Amino acid sequence: IAGVFYRLRAQDEVGTDVGTTGADNGAILNIEAGVVIAADSSETTNDLLIVNRGSKINAVGTATAPIVFTSQQNLATNGVSDATQGQWGGIVMLGRAPVAVCATGTGPNTAAGGSTTCQQAIEGVTGRFYGGPTANDSSGTMQFVQIRYSGIAISDGNELQGLTLGGTGSGTVLDHIQSHNSADDGVEIFGGTSNMKYIAITGADDDGFDIDNGYRGFIQFMIAAQRTIGATADSFSTEIDSNNAEDLLPRTFGRYANFTFIQTALAPAAIRLRGGAD
C-alpha cells in the first residue's frame, strides 16, 4: 500500500536456491509503485533482501511513484544527512547465467559459458550461490527504484553494496534505478548477462559501477557522481576488474554507452580497467 512503510528485518529471502540448472520455484515478490520498504533500525543484524536463483522480484514503480528501499532512519525528520551511509545491506539478486570464477569443485567454465556446474558464493552472506548455464535467465524486474543509505563491509573484500547482481541473466529487466550513498559500491555485478539502462549512482563511498567475474552485458544512460565526503582512496566511477583471474572464461565484456562520470580527486582516474576484461 503506498503511504505505508514496510519494515525489512535481518536477511530476508525470496525463495530458496534451485542450483545451477533447477527449474523456477515459483517464488515472486511483487512490490507496487509508491511503496516504501525501510530496514529495521531497532536491532543490530544486517538487514538485506536476497532474491535466490529460481525466484523473482517484480518491483515496478513509476517516475512519480518510485519504489523506495531505505533505512528506517530516513523516515524521521533530520534522520539522515549527506554524510549518512551504511545503514543496511541493500538488495542482492542471484541468477543462473554464466560466470567466470567457479567455486572449488565446480566448473571450470568455457568461453560460451556452457558449464552446468560452475557457481560461486556471493559476497556479504554465507552459503548463497550464483551462476549457471542459462544466459537468458530472469530474476525479475526492477524499474523506477531507489536504494538509499545502504552498504556494509563484512570484512575486506566481502561487502554488501546498494545493488548486487550475481549471475543474473538477460531476461532480468533493470532500468530507472538509483543507488544513493552506499557505503561501498553503488552497483556491483559478478558475471551474468543482465543489461541495464537509466542507472544513477550518487554518493557511493567506493566504486559507482564495479563489474567483474565474466560479466557480459550492456549498460546505457549511466550517471556516477562520486562521494565527496571522505570517500575511500581507490574509489572509481567504474572499476572493470578480474580479481587476478585474467585467464578464466568467459572473459568480462561489459559495454557502456551514454555515460557521465563525475569523479572526485581521491582516485587516480574515473575508470579503472584491468586484465581479464575486453
Side-chain angles (χ1 to χ4, degrees), residues 191-257:
T193 56
S194 291
N195 302 313
M196 305 178 76
K197 61 183 179 180
Y198 302 107
I199 309 297
I201 308 300
T202 52
D205 191 59
D206 195 9
D207 306 314
F209 297 86
D210 189 349
I211 69 173
D212 54 26
N213 201 350
Y215 170 64
R216 301 180 69 85
F218 182 50
I219 310 177
Q220 188 176 21
F221 310 122
M222 310 162 65
I223 295 174
Q226 289 294 82
R227 184 176 179 83
T228 58
I229 305 173
T232 55
D234 64 343
S235 56
F236 298 83
S237 288
T238 186
E239 184 174 60
I240 303 165
D241 212 348
S242 66
N243 294 327
N244 297 315
E246 285 81 359
D247 296 327
L248 295 180
L249 299 175
R251 289 174 60 84
T252 293
F253 184 31
R255 291 166 291 166
Y256 296 168

Side-chain angles (χ1 to χ4, degrees), residues 43 62 67 104 125-126 144 149 180 215 217 233 238:
E43 44 83 48
T62 68
I67 294 168
T104 301
V125 296
T126 301
F144 293 100
Y149 308 112
H180 179 63
Y215 170 64
T238 186

Side-chain angles (χ1 to χ4, degrees), residues 14-16 18 23-30 53-56 96:
V14 183
T16 55
V18 299
D24 288 357
N25 61 20
I28 301 175
L29 174 61
N30 294 306
R53 290 184 293 189
S55 298
K56 294 180 174 65
R96 295 164 289 183

Side-chain angles (χ1 to χ4, degrees), residues 63-85:
T64 56
I67 294 168
V68 178
F69 291 88
T70 190
S71 63
Q72 193 170 335
Q73 295 93 320
N74 190 198
L75 305 183
T77 302
N78 298 320
V80 296
S81 70
D82 286 346
T84 302
Q85 60 176 348

Side-chain angles (χ1 to χ4, degrees), residues 17 19-20 52-53 92-109 115-133 157-158 164-168 189-192 212-214 242-243 245 248:
D17 185 18
T20 59
N52 283 300
R53 290 184 293 189
V92 179
M93 298 174 67
L94 306 176
R96 295 164 289 183
V99 300
V101 181
C102 309
T104 301
T106 74
N109 219 331
S115 172
T116 60
T117 62
C118 178
Q119 64 176 8
Q120 182 59 276
I122 196 64
E123 283 187 5
V125 296
T126 301
R128 298 296 179 269
F129 288 86
Y130 63 94
N158 184 27
T164 302
L165 304 177
T168 54
I189 306 177
F190 297 91
D212 54 26
N213 201 350
S242 66
N243 294 327
L248 295 180

